[in-house]
Structures are given as structure tokens and as C-alpha cells.
Amino acid sequence: MNYSTIKTAVACSLVAALGLSETVQAQEPTVFGGRRQYRTWSIGVNGGFTTPSVIIGGSNAFNQKVGFGGYKLREYYGITVRKQLSSWFGLEAAGNRGRIFTYNNNGVGNAYLFPAENGAAAAPAGGYQSAETSVQYAASLNGVFQLATIDFLRRENAVNFYASVGYGLIAFNPVGYTDADGSAGAWDNKGGWGEEFNADRELVGDRDFKRETYIPVGVGVKFKLSDRVALNLGYTMNFVDDKALFGPVVDRAANDKFSYTYAGLEFSLGSSSKPDLTWHNPVSTLYDELKDPSLRNELEALKQRVSTLEGLVDELSRDEDGDGVSDKFDKCPGTPAGTQVDGAGCPIKFPEPQTQQSSATYSNIQFEFDSSVLKTESYSTLDRLSSDLRESGATVTLDGHASAEGSEAYNLNLSRDRANSVKQYLVNSGVDAAKINVQAFGESAPIASNATEEGRVLNRRVEIKR
């Protein structure tokens, strides 16, 4: 697998993990809780040693391979800052510094090293037996995936296994030696890794190290020592996007790589009243809550409330006389079939026909529910009435009515407002206000049943009487 393939896979995996993690947290699940309920920041320090190869195989310019020849270990150390985004994924910024040593233990020199560039001396006849690379810094952003735990039935884990993958920048400078012990120095490349210029293209200095991108891929295990501290053991393979990690080379196809084996401590940051999301176990939380007797008792109580509610609904829906009013609220049970009743289930007593003269040429003025605003379709009737009153000088009486919704006092005021709305329209059109009388009857004089919406619509009215 080449470097470009690894880089593409790393980018896709990090983007997918970030998207899925944010989706899960946005849903704020009720069983496991949201991210705000936990401590999510941590800082760690680590130290260990490097080897010039990785466990998946391959070799470097000194023929150093896994399982072949000895290693001269060198110190390497670092610091990490991590933001845990879910119980299984977090983002970690890492910084490292240290050294890497490689040599050929069979006494054969390095055929790839080519120091004659940049003004360095020519390679010795026997080649270079070893090289030591100083890592000025290695900084990366990593995705950390928590894979499994050996104590998953605990409410909080004590041992977590994880894997990580990231992308970063490494700055390094190698030194070549003519012996395998690294005691006889023959070449270094300080000042030869590139020139630096200012804005006017004036040379301002040479770099004594080379910068390249790299991909760290690692695995590890964490042991919870306390609520704040964890022991971290891990192994990271670092794939450098360059062939000169141990010195300039020619005719070499593979990029260089090295591994870092370490131990460290990780410290959880944040309020002590919150648990650490790194050690949170949603599976055990679900298991504990499902077997919690209080949850079972709450479920049984909920079933009892549902049964009670069903019985109440059956009682409210019982109507033996079929008048549309539940027996629980029917004040006049047993009314004959087809009898028009009011909201209390009692027969409606319609008023006797009015003996006073009522103009058959003027229809009632209708209103919307709980409204005294005139409808536009009433304007033609009122305009005709206004014209007749102005010509004849006659007196008119406006009777306001309402349907049975609401209290009697409220409906009485509403019927008065409706009659006054008609009066105001007539006065605005030129009718003498003294010729207009207003009466309010509220819900006391319906002309249709208030048990149906059709009847209630007819009862919301103002009658015109001359």
C-alpha cells in the first residue's frame, strides 16, 4: 500500500467518524445522556523508544527489518491533548520529539546514501554503517477509536483498548556514521535541507532540518488508575512521506517509516462532579437500567394509569338515549329519539314567533365563532336597510344573539357587541343613531340546536326588526 492510498484512507475514516459521532450526539439519547453530562477533555504525557521499522514489514536503506538484526533503541517522548466526542471516538492533537537510530549489523555499508549533494563530502568506499535521525518535532491530529473493553458489564470501564490514525508534519535531520555503533561520524546535512528567502527573494538562512508529512497509525490499551488518571501503553507506526529519513538516497522506491513504543499517563480535565466520557460504557448503562426494579415498577404504574384512562373513556362515551350527550353529563336522561337538546341533554324550548312586525326582506346578520366583526357578505343587506331607514325615517331594533359555547355572561356581552357592530355600520352610513335600538339576548333565544355546528352557526346572529 503506497503513501497516497494510506493518506486517502485516513482522510475518509476521520471524516466518516466525525460525521457519525456528531449525528449520535445531536440526537441527545435519553438513556445514555448527552456529551454535556461528561468530562470530555484530557491531557497526556508519554515516553518510550523508537525502532527504525514497523511490525507490518518492510525495510529501510540500512536493510533494517522486523525480526532481523538487533536494534539500538533511542528515546522518544510526547504530549497529547484529546477531546472525546462520544464513548467510542475522540480527536487528539499530539506532539513528539526524540531520536531514531538504524544500522546494518552485517557490516555491509549503505548503498543508497548519497551525501555528495549540497556540497557534502563523497560517500566513503565502505558506505555508511549506521545513521541517527533527530526529530525536531512531530505534530499530528489523530482520530482515536475505542475498540473494546474486558469489563463491559461494569457501569464504568477499567481497561480500554483503542486504535488511532492521523495526519501530521515531522521535522528531522539525519547523521550518517561509518561504523555500526554510531561513534565515527562522517556526514550530516545541517544547513542543506533548503534555503529560506524573504519577500525580496534575499537569502536569510538555511534550514538544518527537513519537513515532511507523515501518517501515524497506532494501537494501545489504557488502565484506569483513578477517576482522574489513566495509564496508557501503546505502539505507533509512523509512515513518513519521504525516502531520506536516515539520509539522502538514490534509486530507492519505498518511503521510510519508524515505530514508537511508549508508556504514559493521561489526566482527565473538567468538573469532578461529572464522569469521564472516555470510560463511560453505554452498553452496561443500558443493561443496568433495564434490570433496575424502579424502571419495572414505573412501567407497571404506567400500565395501571392507561387501564384507568380506558375505563374513563368508556364511561364518557356511554349515551343510552342517543341524544349526543354523555350519560355522565346528561341532566335530562331518557329524552325521546329525535328531540333537539342543548349541551346539558335537555330539550330546547324555542321561543314563540314574534308578534311585532319583522321585515321579511332583511336576513339575519351572521357572525364567526367568538367574534363581533361583520362579514363582508352582510354589507349588501345593511346598505339596503340603511337606505330604507334614511328614506322613511323609521325606527329599527337590532337583537343580538350567541351560540351556547362559553358562559352565559360572556355570551350576553358578545351578543351586545354584535348588535352594536351593526348599529355602528348604520350610523356610519348616515342613519340617525336615535332611530336604532339595541337588545342583547346572549344564548337564551336560539333558533337552532346548539348540539351541532350547523345549529350554532345559525344562532350567532343579529336579527333586524322594524
Side-chain angles (χ1 to χ4, degrees):
M1 180 181 294
N2 58 35
Y3 183 82
S4 298
T5 304
I6 296 176
K7 185 164 59 175
T8 303
V10 168
C12 292
S13 63
L14 287 178
V15 170
L18 278 172
L20 181 57
S21 176
E22 289 304 314
T23 300
V24 170
Q25 289 300 324
Q27 293 174 353
E28 293 291 332
T30 57
V31 176
F32 307 134
R35 198 164 54 213
R36 292 187 297 271
Q37 301 178 13
Y38 302 93
R39 298 197 303 268
T40 57
W41 286 98
S42 62
I43 186 170
V45 292
N46 55 75
F49 58 86
T50 59
T51 56
S53 58
V54 296
I55 60 174
I56 62 175
S59 63
N60 59 37
F62 288 82
N63 295 321
Q64 197 67 272
K65 300 179 181 180
V66 175
F68 296 92
Y71 293 132
K72 294 184 181 298
L73 307 180
R74 289 295 186 263
E75 76 280 357
Y76 206 70
Y77 48 89
I79 186 171
T80 60
V81 177
R82 182 166 49 85
K83 170 69 172 180
Q84 194 69 25
L85 300 178
S86 71
S87 59
W88 63 273
F89 178 75
L91 277 181
E92 181 178 85
N96 295 91
R97 183 181 176 90
R99 298 184 299 163
I100 314 164
F101 188 86
T102 183
Y103 72 100
N104 194 326
N105 64 345
N106 60 14
V108 179
N110 179 6
Y112 292 103
L113 197 60
F114 188 70
E117 295 179 346
N118 305 318
Y128 290 94
Q129 296 289 325
S130 61
E132 183 174 70
T133 299
S134 295
V135 177
Q136 306 290 331
Y137 63 84
S140 64
L141 180 64
N142 309 315
V144 181
F145 302 84
Q146 297 195 161
L147 303 177
T149 173
I150 62 174
D151 52 357
F152 65 93
L153 290 182
R154 293 168 55 94
R155 286 194 63 85
E156 288 191 357
N157 299 330
V159 181
N160 279 349
F161 297 91
Y162 67 90
S164 64
V165 61
Y167 190 74
L169 184 69
I170 184 171
F172 59 90
N173 185 55
V175 176
Y177 299 97
T178 56
D179 64 351
D181 293 330
S183 59
W187 171 87
D188 69 52
N189 201 45
K190 291 186 177 180
W193 288 117
E195 298 174 335
E196 295 183 354
F197 298 86
N198 60 19
D200 297 324
R201 300 300 298 166
E202 297 173 339
L203 182 65
V204 296
D206 288 345
R207 288 186 288 114
D208 61 354
F209 58 87
K210 189 174 186 180
R211 288 191 294 259
E212 292 293 347
T213 58
Y214 79 107
I215 291 177
V217 179
V219 293
V221 58
K222 295 179 183 178
F223 300 88
K224 186 176 183 181
L225 303 182
S226 70
D227 188 52
R228 290 283 187 178
V229 183
L231 174 63
N232 187 12
L233 305 178
Y235 174 82
T236 301
M237 300 179 293
N238 298 280
F239 300 90
V240 182
D241 188 20
D242 193 73
K243 303 174 180 62
L245 181 63
F246 302 108
V249 295
V250 294
D251 299 328
R252 176 171 170 80
N255 288 331
D256 283 325
K257 45 197 170 290
F258 70 97
S259 61
Y260 172 40
T261 304
Y262 61 89
L265 294 177
E266 188 173 274
F267 303 91
S268 176
L269 306 178
S271 173
S272 58
S273 63
K274 297 180 179 180
D276 191 344
L277 183 57
T278 303
W279 299 99
H280 174 62
N281 191 337
V283 176
S284 65
T285 301
L286 177 62
Y287 177 80
D288 291 343
E289 293 194 0
L290 288 178
K291 72 175 184 178
D292 189 348
S294 62
L295 182 62
R296 186 178 297 106
N297 294 338
E298 183 177 348
L299 180 60
E300 292 300 325
L302 180 61
K303 290 180 179 179
Q304 183 62 38
R305 289 195 294 270
V306 170
S307 177
T308 302
L309 182 60
E310 289 175 345
L312 181 59
V313 170
D314 291 340
E315 182 180 356
L316 292 176
S317 60
R318 189 179 300 113
D319 180 16
E320 293 184 356
D321 56 10
D323 59 1
V325 180
S326 170
D327 290 347
K328 185 175 180 62
F329 304 105
D330 197 340
K331 296 182 179 179
C332 301
T335 53
T339 303
Q340 292 185 343
V341 298
D342 56 20
C346 297
I348 297 176
K349 297 180 180 179
F350 295 103
E352 297 294 333
Q354 298 292 331
T355 56
Q356 67 184 87
Q357 182 182 2
S358 176
S359 174
T361 59
Y362 304 115
S363 59
N364 293 338
I365 307 302
Q366 303 295 142
F367 293 83
E368 295 290 349
F369 169 73
D370 195 22
S371 174
S372 60
V373 178
L374 291 172
K375 296 182 178 180
T376 55
E377 55 261 39
S378 301
Y379 293 169
S380 59
T381 301
L382 295 178
D383 290 340
R384 185 158 49 88
L385 174 61
S386 173
S387 177
D388 293 345
L389 293 177
R390 284 185 278 109
E391 290 178 2
S392 64
T395 299
V396 67
T397 300
L398 305 175
D399 294 343
H401 300 271
S403 56
E405 297 100 320
S407 65
E408 293 182 0
Y410 181 88
N411 289 333
L412 184 63
N413 290 332
L414 180 59
S415 65
R416 182 178 292 107
D417 291 341
R418 288 170 173 170
N420 283 326
S421 293
V422 175
K423 178 180 179 179
Q424 187 62 46
Y425 185 97
L426 295 175
V427 171
N428 291 342
S429 64
V431 179
D432 186 358
K435 300 291 186 178
I436 305 173
N437 298 317
V438 172
Q439 298 184 108
F441 294 91
E443 63 183 71
S444 63
I447 59 174
S449 171
N450 279 304
T452 64
E453 180 58 20
E454 292 79 3
R456 291 189 290 269
V457 168
L458 296 175
N459 291 334
R460 300 165 191 151
R461 70 196 190 281
V462 169
E463 296 180 352
I464 303 170
K465 298 179 180 178
R466 292 182 60 184

